[in-house]
Amino acid sequence: MNQFPQALTIAGIDSDGGGGMPIDLKTMMAMHVYGLSVITTTVAANSYGIIDSHALPIAFIENEFKALTADYQIRACKTGLLDSKALINTVVANYQRHDMGYLVVDPVILAKTGEVLLTPDEIDTLKERLIPLATVITPNYYEAEKLTGMQINDQHQMVVAAQKLRQLGCLNVMIKGRHDQNGEKQDEVSDLLLLESGEQVWLTGPYFQTNRKNGTGDALSAAITAELAKGRSVEQAVRTAKTYVDQTIKNEIIVGHKYGPINNWAGQE
């Protein structure tokens, strides 16, 4: 009983299925892991953007944790957008209260449109309370800048930023490489994984010029979570997740009119 790997996503539910909890669960299923969810926010969205959102009551979120941890053997969990101090503190309290395995924190700070989603106070709470508990954090280039307060212009500065993030208490840091080079043609993207041991692992892959990338950050952190739930090492989990996400972008599907979703079928294949 409860031997099949199970993982949890703590995130909002986007009605278009292209981001948040829906893409997390699709990714976990593609990785052959049973996905569970604590829903934090409901979002009315399409490929153009977000129309409306509604945060669920903290008491209900507490009951979601209570229900799942009473029944399932959660081997790893991940967080997505946590857009209030109360929500961040609730997630921290429940992670410390219950055995939910490895923790992957996707510190969602910026929307794909560039809009800052968290206040400075909320970012500080994320840094002080949640990130120190993380097995892996997966900020993109710009989120790493927000979290460290420094500009990142090259690979050396990526390493410095990753080291600063490690100082917050998390064990492993993956900083996703910059996807725009001041308008210049880009052929490759290099991500940095700074392991607990101090080893630097660079993951370089092709850059795919497409606007069918909605949910890539969610999928990456969900794939890492799924692989950790299966007992993989952090480096193995990150490498597999990177390959998976590359395939979902490379083999695009045409759904929606603007920022379309990635192709989870291709990643599974």
Side-chain angles (χ1 to χ4, degrees), residues 4-78:
F4 194 84
Q6 298 149 55
L8 171 67
T9 171
I10 306 162
I13 179 168
D14 289 15
S15 58
D16 65 342
M21 183 268 288
I23 207 75
D24 289 342
L25 293 181
K26 292 174 187 177
T27 299
M28 290 174 180
M29 178 172 285
M31 310 299 283
H32 301 282
V33 167
Y34 187 79
L36 305 160
S37 61
V38 166
I39 303 169
T40 59
T41 308
T42 54
V43 180
N46 57 28
S47 68
Y48 293 108
I50 294 173
I51 297 172
D52 197 4
S53 65
H54 176 71
L56 296 183
I58 294 296
F60 179 80
I61 295 170
E62 290 275 8
N63 281 332
E64 290 184 279
F65 279 111
K66 182 178 179 180
L68 294 179
T69 56
D71 191 9
Y72 299 95
Q73 183 180 322
I74 300 167
R75 299 184 186 177
C77 59
K78 65 148 289 187

Side-chain angles (χ1 to χ4, degrees), residues 150-222:
M150 62 176 285
Q151 285 192 325
I152 305 173
N153 297 311
D154 54 36
Q155 289 191 346
H156 171 72
Q157 290 175 335
M158 283 182 74
V159 173
V160 173
Q163 291 168 338
K164 283 191 173 186
L165 292 173
R166 277 285 320 278
Q167 291 171 5
L168 295 176
C170 57
L171 298 179
N172 305 274
V173 177
M174 181 186 186
I175 298 180
K176 291 169 276 186
R178 190 168 179 170
H179 286 189
D180 62 344
Q181 298 295 338
N182 299 319
E184 297 178 7
K185 178 176 171 56
Q186 183 171 352
D187 297 319
E188 293 182 333
V189 177
S190 292
D191 302 331
L192 169 64
L193 172 62
L194 180 63
L195 293 168
E196 182 180 3
S197 65
E199 180 184 358
Q200 299 169 23
V201 179
W202 289 95
L203 303 168
T204 299
Y207 174 75
F208 302 106
Q209 186 62 52
T210 175
N211 62 358
R212 305 288 161 175
K213 294 182 180 180
N214 191 21
T216 53
D218 301 318
L220 179 74
S221 55

Side-chain angles (χ1 to χ4, degrees), residues 58 61-62 83-93 122 125:
I58 294 296
I61 295 170
E62 290 275 8
D83 56 358
S84 75
K85 287 183 64 175
L87 179 54
I88 296 169
N89 286 325
T90 297
V91 171
V92 168
E122 289 163 349
T125 303

